[in-house]
Structures are given as structure tokens and as C-alpha cells.
């Protein structure tokens, strides 16, 4: 059994405004998270280079030693990347939600127009 939820034009417009506001706030969230990721990525690259250059031995030994020495930096970078990607997916979902509400609003306006509601 499907339950239908009826909306009125005021409700739809309010939801569009709410989602638009959430999208606007999400822009700064994505920006902050991406900046944290970039900072963590730079820190990882610098730590890896220091560990690589500081290890005596052959190039392949340096690489593995640097990988082992920078696990914390790599984990911080990966965590920051995951946080940014999550915020970005949330922003995309909000865009989809906004389009859905806009579609509901357009359908509702068409329905009211056909019924002659609001005409003078």
C-alpha cells in the first residue's frame, strides 16, 4: 500500500528555500573540508620526502622506509579526503533534492492552472 503525501504551494516553496539554504551552507563546508584535505596532502608529501631522503640505502629501501615512517600522515590525509568526499556527496544529494522540489512545485502550479485555481 502506497501512502500519498499531499503538499500545498506554501509548503513546497518553504522546502525549496530550506534546501537552497542548506546548499548555500554546504558550499562552505565543502570548502573547509577540501582545504583540510589539501593541507594534509601537503603534510604527507613533505613527510614522505623527508623520510625518503633521510633513509640511507637503495631507492627501493628508501621508498618502503618512507611508507612505513609516514603512516600517520597518510591516514590523516585519507581521513580528510573521505570527509571532503562525504561533504561533496551530500552537496550533490541536496542539489537533487532541490530539483525534485522544484519539479513538485512546477507540477503543482500546472495542476492548479488546469483546475483554474488562482485565476482572476
Amino acid at each position: 500500500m502506497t501512502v500519498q503525501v499531499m503538499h500545498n504551494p506554501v509548503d513546497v516553496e518553504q522546502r525549496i528555500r530550506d534546501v537552497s539554504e542548506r546548499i548555500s551552507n554546504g558550499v562552505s563546508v565543502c570548502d573547509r573540508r577540501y582545504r583540510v584535505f589539501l593541507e594534509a596532502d601537503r603534510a604527507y608529501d613533505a613527510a614522505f620526502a623527508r623520510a625518503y631522503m633521510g633513509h640511507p640505502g637503495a631507492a627501493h629501501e628508501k621508498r618502503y622506509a618512507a611508507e612505513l615512517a609516514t603512516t600517520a600522515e597518510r591516514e590523516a590525509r585519507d581521513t580528510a579526503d573521505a570527509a571532503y568526499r562525504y561533504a561533496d556527496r551530500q552537496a550533490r544529494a541536496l542539489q537533487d533534492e532541490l530539483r525534485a522540489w522544484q519539479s513538485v512545485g512546477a507540477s503543482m502550479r500546472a495542476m492548479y492552472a488546469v483546475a483554474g485555481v488562482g485565476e482572476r
Side-chain angles (χ1 to χ4, degrees), residues 36-112:
V36 168
F37 164 72
L38 290 175
E39 185 178 316
D41 195 42
R42 281 191 302 275
Y44 169 68
D45 287 345
F48 186 91
R50 281 191 302 276
Y52 185 91
M53 296 306 293
H55 184 79
H60 71 281
E61 288 178 18
K62 288 177 175 271
R63 182 173 150 248
Y64 291 119
E67 288 287 343
L68 292 172
T70 58
T71 56
E73 290 87 352
R74 189 172 51 254
E75 183 178 348
R77 182 211 51 201
D78 292 348
T79 299
D81 184 41
Y84 166 69
R85 289 175 188 261
Y86 176 77
D88 186 56
R89 284 190 303 274
Q90 289 291 99
R92 290 172 195 261
L94 285 172
Q95 290 287 345
D96 292 342
E97 184 178 346
L98 176 62
R99 280 191 291 279
W101 280 113
Q102 288 169 333
S103 178
V104 168
S107 295
M108 188 172 290
R109 284 189 300 278
M111 178 182 68
Y112 278 102

Side-chain angles (χ1 to χ4, degrees), residues 3-38:
V3 177
Q4 288 186 329
V5 177
M6 300 302 284
H7 297 286
N8 62 55
V10 174
D11 180 42
V12 172
E13 289 301 319
Q14 182 59 47
R15 287 180 185 248
I16 289 172
R17 279 192 297 278
D18 291 345
V19 172
S20 294
E21 186 176 318
R22 291 171 60 203
I23 289 169
S24 179
N25 293 337
V27 170
S28 60
V29 170
C30 285
D31 179 62
R32 284 192 307 271
R33 293 209 176 148
Y34 190 63
R35 288 174 189 270
V36 168
F37 164 72
L38 290 175

